[in-house]
Amino acid sequence: MRIVLLGAPGSGKGTQTDAITERYGIPTVATGDLLRAEVAANTELGQQAKPYMDAGDLVPFDIVLGMIENGLKKLAEANSNGFMMDGFPRDLAQAEALDQLLDKINQPLDLVLFFEVDYEEIVGRLLGRGRADDNEETIRNRLRVYEEKTAPLIEYYTRKGLLRKVKGTGTIDAIGERIRAVLDEIA
Ligand code: ADP
């Protein structure tokens, strides 16, 4: 099963990944986590990425692409039963690059799960979370970047017939139940 989790920052994608991995046996490639690990280890990549992350801007694509290629390579080596992507793709260029990468290995996406959560709920969640990049100014910028660059992917994947919407409010369990209802169809 090859899926992409799509949704605004704070829409709850990361919260659901463990349960999805456990049930369907597919590992997560989460670009935000990969980037934070590079920053924590103070690698050259991390040093390059940090200012963009601190500002809530997208890290330039050439920095992110290598990480994704690496992640997919590792999954192929591990013979994993597919994957779930969290935080990637984040704009049209990334979506097209992902399509090309997956076409090349003959493993197209099965579906894109879009987490629907309204704006006010999201701001409240992000302010409550307290990660280093969760201050008010950065949050505002990340939401702006999401609206401008990532939200157009809803249309992109709808046109490809891949988009499935899941209401992202309610308890974690209730959201997980809605996700299972969608994924069980293709599992
Ligand atoms: P959130 O979903 O709350 O925004 P993430 O962990 O997905 O958190 O992302 C945190 C930051 O990492 C982003 O604001 C951005 O700077 C960077 N980032 C993550 N994924 C990507 C990506 N695919 N392309 C560019 N930058 C990214």
Side-chain angles (χ1 to χ4, degrees):
M1 184 189 293
R2 294 176 294 277
I3 64 177
V4 162
L5 307 184
L6 183 63
S11 60
K13 306 182 299 288
T15 304
Q16 297 289 339
T17 54
D18 285 352
I20 299 174
T21 294
E22 200 173 310
R23 184 174 174 93
Y24 302 99
I26 51 172
T28 309
V29 180
T31 41
D33 291 345
L34 293 173
L35 287 167
R36 278 186 289 279
E38 298 282 347
V39 171
N42 202 19
T43 63
E44 203 183 320
L45 196 158
Q47 286 173 14
Q48 289 171 341
K50 189 172 187 301
Y52 297 97
M53 297 170 73
D54 287 345
D57 286 324
L58 294 187
V59 174
F61 191 29
D62 53 335
I63 300 178
V64 177
L65 181 65
M67 265 177 14
I68 287 290
E69 286 174 331
N70 227 341
L72 287 173
K73 208 169 94 200
K74 273 195 206 142
L75 293 180
E77 284 161 7
N79 254 327
S80 83
N81 185 27
F83 58 77
M84 150 182 47
M85 298 237 165
D86 171 8
F88 185 92
R90 243 180 165 89
D91 64 14
L92 278 171
Q94 294 187 3
E96 283 164 3
L98 179 62
D99 280 347
Q100 276 173 21
L101 279 173
L102 295 178
D103 275 353
K104 239 193 296 185
I105 53 174
N106 237 322
Q107 301 196 351
L109 291 174
D110 293 308
L111 64 78
V112 174
L113 262 189
F114 173 58
F115 287 59
E116 273 183 308
V117 182
D118 61 46
Y119 193 81
E120 267 159 44
E121 166 100 16
I122 278 173
V123 175
R125 286 185 190 178
L126 291 172
L127 281 171
R129 194 164 70 173
R131 207 171 68 194
D133 58 350
D134 285 340
N135 61 76
E136 210 163 337
E137 197 185 330
T138 304
I139 288 173
R140 228 178 294 127
N141 192 42
R142 274 157 57 213
L143 290 172
R144 202 160 41 224
V145 169
Y146 169 77
E147 279 301 326
E148 191 183 314
K149 304 198 163 152
T150 312
L153 297 184
I154 299 168
E155 169 73 21
Y156 177 84
Y157 286 120
T158 299
R159 248 187 280 126
K160 287 180 176 285
L162 292 175
L163 196 87
R164 297 292 300 267
K165 292 183 185 176
V166 170
K167 192 159 80 88
T169 46
T171 64
I172 291 174
D173 279 352
I175 299 164
E177 185 59 48
R178 290 177 206 133
I179 292 171
R180 284 195 290 281
V182 173
L183 296 187
D184 278 355
E185 288 174 27
I186 60 160

